[in-house]
Amino acid sequence: MTTAVPFSWMWGDPAETIDRLRSMRKAMEAEEKRLKEQERRRKSRRIRMLVRLAKAGELKGRQ
């Protein structure tokens, strides 16, 4: 039984390895950007909700 070495493609042609690493890095950067934007939107929604709740509580307290 033989097992494949993880990242065995790294032992091939150095130019191909660099190209593959660059494409992987580009994909990772795009995913990180997407996740960061998603997290920013989630935080914004939460803040808006908390502001609404605070305003509603403030109005109830004054009446």
Side-chain angles (χ1 to χ4, degrees):
M1 174 185 265
T2 60
T3 58
V5 177
F7 302 107
S8 60
W9 53 267
M10 294 184 93
W11 297 103
D13 182 23
E16 290 177 5
T17 301
I18 295 298
D19 289 343
R20 192 165 180 176
L21 287 173
R22 284 180 182 155
S23 67
M24 287 173 66
R25 184 175 293 140
K26 194 177 286 186
M28 289 296 294
E29 288 173 357
E31 181 65 12
E32 287 174 357
K33 184 178 179 183
R34 186 189 70 79
L35 289 174
K36 193 177 281 189
E37 178 65 20
Q38 184 180 29
E39 185 64 24
R40 185 190 67 78
R41 287 182 181 173
R42 187 176 291 130
K43 285 181 181 179
S44 296
R45 282 189 208 114
R46 185 169 185 267
I47 289 170
R48 281 195 300 271
M49 182 190 70
L50 291 173
V51 167
R52 263 188 245 122
L53 290 174
K55 284 183 179 180
E58 191 176 300
L59 291 175
K60 286 182 183 177
R62 288 187 183 172
Q63 291 178 351

